Amino acid sequence: MVAQEPEGAIMHTGDDTDSDGTDSLERATRDFIAARPRLFGIAYRVLGSSAEAEDVLQETWLRWQNTDRGGVHEPTAFLTTITTRLAINVAQSARVRRESYVGPWLPEPVDTSQDPQMGAERAEALELAVLLLLEKLNPLERGAYVLREAFDYPYKQVAEILETSEANTRQLVSRARKHLAAERKEPVSPADHRRLLEVFLAAAQKGDMAVLEKVLAADVVSYADGGGVRGASRIPVVGRGHVSKYLTAFAPRFWPPARTRWVEANGRPAVLVSVGESAVALLSVDVSADGIDRIMWVMNPDKLSSYVASLSG
């Protein structure tokens, strides 16, 4: 799929002033800035990377500058269409790059403390665990799911954005929903999530295997995304027994020099782990009634530095 201008848009070749004298580029800038939170929210959810989402928005802005905006009656809808198509294109090429990624790939975390829904109608498709599962879908399925579930676009409009039929759009969203339902258990309340993460953190720091085995689900998976740079496990660790032993084994080396800070990442509480002045990991978990199902350690320095820089305050 190649990103194209939405139907009706042509390249701008005339002057840059509206008939009422208002500078057209200034108006275009205002329209883009107003739509930006939504545009970033769409691109980020489709890509699972804030760096790639920013690249998409830069390209969207360039195309918006060069468009004959006099024929655009709904700037946000126009910009949404360009952004979504570009994000899907990038996702298709990113899929190939991630096949050669060293170790497990995790989404790049974002600070959602100021914008809990990341420009959307609902905070869907935002949690790290959900983005990780969406990565297994093809980019069109992800795009359809994001537009429908997080941004509440009607199926007809989603179909127009994706350049497909409404019937196919419904199938795309249905497949995405079924995939998530099959791969993820019903999450617990935010309060229970925080409580279990606190218990887990204390047990992990002490290397308390008995407590770890109580809070971990039987089929828990621990992912460590070091991007080949950190000394992180290059394969996921699977199962309550293996994960408990793994956490207990590295506790004496990992935790004594570290300090922790509670933060928010992708709408959930998380723990930023630092040694000296440098962040070394962002710890987040996915929790169901069975206990902790997924443990996600973002240790890739590029992803960490971007997240730390985005922290409010």
Side-chain angles (χ1 to χ4, degrees):
M1 180 179 184
V2 178
Q4 298 175 347
E5 307 303 335
E7 187 175 351
I10 58 176
M11 301 307 290
H12 179 60
T13 56
D15 64 34
D16 208 32
T17 304
D18 291 339
S19 59
D20 62 0
T22 303
D23 183 84
S24 178
L25 189 57
E26 286 185 7
R27 176 174 294 178
T29 302
R30 289 197 301 271
D31 288 338
F32 183 82
I33 291 173
R36 197 182 193 287
R38 170 166 294 224
L39 304 180
F40 180 85
I42 291 170
Y44 173 74
R45 284 169 169 86
V46 172
L47 295 165
S49 165
S50 58
E52 290 174 348
E54 289 290 358
D55 288 343
V56 165
L57 262 62
Q58 179 66 21
E59 179 62 24
T60 299
W61 167 241
L62 291 174
R63 294 193 183 200
W64 180 229
Q65 283 181 292
N66 292 321
T67 294
D68 180 2
R69 296 179 296 275
V72 177
H73 302 295
E74 296 183 17
T76 299
F78 183 93
L79 290 164
T80 294
T81 300
I82 295 176
T83 297
T84 303
R85 292 178 185 175
L86 286 170
I88 288 171
N89 284 351
V90 173
Q92 288 168 335
S93 59
R95 213 171 187 184
V96 176
R97 293 197 305 274
R98 286 169 192 169
E99 287 175 358
S100 60
Y101 193 83
V102 179
W105 177 90
L106 290 173
E108 186 178 341
V110 289
D111 174 26
T112 49
S113 59
Q114 297 302 308
D115 183 4
Q117 301 186 166
M118 193 63 74
E121 301 295 323
R122 298 187 291 267
E124 297 294 322
L126 186 55
E127 292 178 46
L128 287 175
V130 174
L131 291 173
L132 180 61
L133 293 176
L134 287 178
E135 183 70 13
K136 296 179 182 179
L137 300 174
N138 71 52
L140 267 182
E141 288 170 337
R142 291 212 299 275
Y145 182 83
V146 164
L147 291 173
R148 177 63 187 165
E149 296 300 305
F151 293 86
D152 202 27
Y153 281 102
Y155 282 107
K156 181 179 179 182
Q157 191 171 356
V158 177
E160 291 170 354
I161 291 171
L162 301 183
E163 298 178 294
T164 187
S165 68
E166 187 172 339
N168 188 47
T169 298
R170 290 179 181 274
Q171 290 181 345
L172 292 171
V173 174
S174 177
R175 283 202 296 269
R177 285 175 179 159
K178 287 176 181 176
H179 171 72
L180 289 176
E183 295 286 331
R184 190 183 189 217
K185 302 163 192 169
E186 185 69 26
V188 297
S189 70
D192 286 341
H193 185 112
R194 168 79 183 227
R195 179 183 59 79
L196 214 59
L197 179 53
E198 288 174 346
V199 173
F200 170 80
L201 177 63
Q205 289 172 317
K206 296 173 185 174
D208 190 333
M209 188 177 294
V211 174
L212 287 170
E213 290 183 338
K214 287 182 181 177
V215 298
L216 299 178
D219 56 353
V220 63
V221 183
S222 177
Y223 303 90
D225 178 349
V229 179
R230 301 267 188 222
S233 174
R234 295 196 175 187
I235 58 171
V237 183
V238 182
R240 180 187 288 141
H242 287 125
V243 173
S244 297
K245 290 175 184 176
Y246 166 71
L247 293 171
T248 302
F250 80 67
R253 300 190 305 273
F254 185 74
W255 292 109
R259 57 187 174 84
T260 58
R261 171 187 174 188
W262 283 91
V263 292
E264 181 177 305
N266 296 68
R268 289 291 190 178
V271 178
L272 186 64
V273 184
S274 301
V275 174
E277 297 301 314
S278 301
V280 296
L282 181 76
L283 165 65
S284 61
V285 295
D286 193 29
V287 186
S288 71
D290 293 339
I292 294 174
D293 297 303
R294 292 175 185 81
I295 306 166
M296 293 161 285
W297 306 86
V298 177
M299 305 176 79
N300 183 321
D302 291 336
K303 295 181 181 181
L304 280 176
S305 62
S306 176
Y307 174 77
V308 172
S310 73
L311 286 175
S312 302

